[in-house]
Amino acid sequence: MNLLHRPRRNRKSEAIRSMVAENSLSVNDFIFPMFVTGGTGKKEEIKSMPGISRFSLDTLLIELEEVVALGIKCICLFPNYPESKKDKYATESHQEGTLYLESLSAIKAKFPELAIMTDVAMDPYSSDGHDGIVEDGKILNDETVEVLCKMAVAQAKAGADIIGPSDMMDGRIEAIRAALDAEGFQEVSIMAYTAKYASAFYGPFRDALESAPKFGDKKTYQMNPANSKEALLEAELDINEGADMIMVKPAFSYLDVIKLLNDNFNIPVTAYNVSGEYAMIKAAANNGWIDGEKAMMEMLLSMKRAGASVILTYFAKEAAAVLNKN
């Protein structure tokens, strides 16, 4: 055959494939979500997320030594609270001396160069299990935003580098930015959960926090999986309100949305590789149905290819170990 163009020439060896690769993964791309719980000496594996655990603060600080040694530069911390600490208004979330705020301060003291991202939403502290204040079965938007501002300021005081509002209330980015600035935290970043979908892939995460809604669902505030153009509106609002980064959650089923936001806005786009996506690969690999390591790296690379600058992923430690070998 007399072919002028043979694309396979650029695939003929590992050296050439690597040289012409359009996208690549780096440990610098990852944020590692982690879970803190009360007590001491605890490391409780989450059954639906093999390899991921809830840590008491003392064991969390030990675990972080390994995380930092792998080159991971940022974690996102989530709290697991008992029902006795929860109430309608999530008041524990901004109480001085509470587990979450103490944990942030302890981590920053021991690992000052490690960037800490926080979670701003009521559900870990809410007796209703929702991301907002509930009245007569409805989620109150503006009243919830007032609580979120208190949470954000308390977290910034405790040492947070990046505030992550994950609640999907309208107007909360502008309000949180104003609250942070008023308290002198102009340098604290906001990573907005911009396109957070009402997804079936959050189940294992809710196991980890024991924070599932006590009634109903989250469809009146999280986005409809059928919609992508709506993400453009949410992104424009969040950016205009002061977001420094915008997020798509989940990631793997919403690669088109990641690309859509990356193509339309000159601001870093983050992908949240959520618990259900992690659990699917782990379950299939544990059953011998797929090569777990290769599937993990392929899934993460797909998010970079779609346009994600940053990836929150429970695979961060495993992927970092793979990348450090290469």
Side-chain angles (χ1 to χ4, degrees):
M1 296 177 67
N2 186 21
L3 298 179
L4 181 61
H5 297 289
R6 291 182 180 268
R8 287 185 58 194
R9 283 194 285 258
N10 285 342
R11 307 174 197 147
K12 66 184 179 183
S13 71
E14 176 61 30
I16 292 175
R17 289 193 297 272
S18 298
M19 185 170 60
V20 302
E22 298 172 25
N23 296 281
S24 61
L25 285 169
S26 164
V27 179
N28 294 333
D29 299 331
F30 301 144
I31 296 176
F32 187 30
M34 302 184 75
F35 302 100
V36 65
T37 191
T40 58
K42 291 183 179 179
K43 181 180 178 181
E44 304 166 343
E45 184 170 78
I46 301 157
K47 290 183 179 179
S48 54
M49 298 174 69
I52 300 297
S53 300
R54 288 185 292 260
F55 297 91
S56 54
L57 179 55
D58 57 332
T59 58
L60 177 66
L61 292 173
I62 295 170
E63 177 71 9
L64 280 170
E65 293 176 1
E66 182 178 343
V67 171
V68 170
L70 285 166
I72 295 169
K73 295 180 172 61
C74 186
I75 65 163
C76 185
L77 191 65
F78 295 92
N80 171 260
Y81 275 92
E83 287 297 319
S84 61
K85 292 284 188 179
K86 300 179 182 182
D87 64 26
K88 183 181 183 67
Y89 301 103
T91 52
E92 185 68 23
S93 65
H94 50 86
Q95 291 282 1
E96 186 175 347
T98 192
L99 167 69
Y100 190 62
L101 300 180
E102 282 197 336
S103 299
L104 297 177
S105 297
I107 293 168
K108 182 55 70 173
K110 186 171 182 179
F111 303 97
E113 300 305 316
L114 181 68
I116 306 175
M117 178 179 170
T118 58
D119 179 53
V120 175
M122 287 180 57
D123 55 324
Y125 316 91
S126 167
S127 52
D128 293 307
H130 275 280
D131 293 17
I133 297 172
V134 181
E135 290 288 356
D136 299 324
K138 294 183 179 180
I139 310 301
L140 303 184
N141 191 94
D142 296 8
E143 293 84 348
T144 295
V145 171
E146 294 180 15
V147 177
L148 302 179
C149 289
K150 293 178 182 178
M151 292 175 61
V153 170
Q155 292 171 3
K157 288 180 179 178
D161 299 287
I162 303 170
I163 299 296
S166 62
D167 55 288
M168 290 300 288
M169 297 297 115
D170 293 336
R172 90 276 206 210
I173 302 302
E174 182 175 17
I176 290 171
R177 183 73 272 162
L180 290 171
D181 290 356
E183 294 290 333
F185 296 110
Q186 292 89 347
E187 294 188 1
V188 173
S189 305
I190 297 177
M191 182 187 292
Y193 285 60
T194 291
K196 181 178 181 180
Y197 286 85
S199 172
F201 289 103
Y202 301 149
F205 177 89
R206 291 174 183 166
D207 290 344
L209 293 193
E210 299 174 316
S211 64
K214 298 297 192 296
F215 66 91
D217 53 42
K218 300 190 176 186
K219 293 181 180 179
T220 66
Y221 46 102
Q222 294 179 355
M223 283 179 56
N224 186 342
N227 296 350
S228 58
K229 290 181 180 179
E230 185 181 9
L232 292 171
L233 171 62
E234 291 283 3
E236 185 174 9
L237 288 169
D238 285 351
I239 293 167
N240 288 340
E241 291 177 17
D244 300 287
M245 293 166 269
I246 54 177
M247 182 198 292
V248 176
K249 180 183 181 183
F252 194 55
S253 294
Y254 298 87
L255 297 175
D256 59 318
V257 181
I258 295 172
K259 185 178 190 307
L260 182 67
L261 296 190
N262 186 60
D263 287 348
N264 282 276
F265 300 101
N266 293 318
I267 190 171
V269 178
T270 301
Y272 198 142
N273 180 206
V274 299
S275 59
E277 296 166 344
Y278 173 89
M280 285 193 304
I281 284 185
K282 283 295 184 181
N286 288 342
N287 277 286
W289 298 335
I290 60 173
D291 183 314
E293 182 177 301
K294 289 180 179 178
M296 167 185 71
M297 300 306 287
E298 184 177 341
M299 176 181 276
L300 295 172
L301 185 60
S302 75
M303 296 165 198
K304 284 299 297 285
R305 189 182 67 244
S309 300
V310 181
I311 303 171
L312 279 90
T313 178
Y314 301 96
F315 287 120
K317 279 183 63 180
E318 293 177 69
V322 172
L323 291 168
N324 289 339
K325 286 189 299 185
N326 298 333

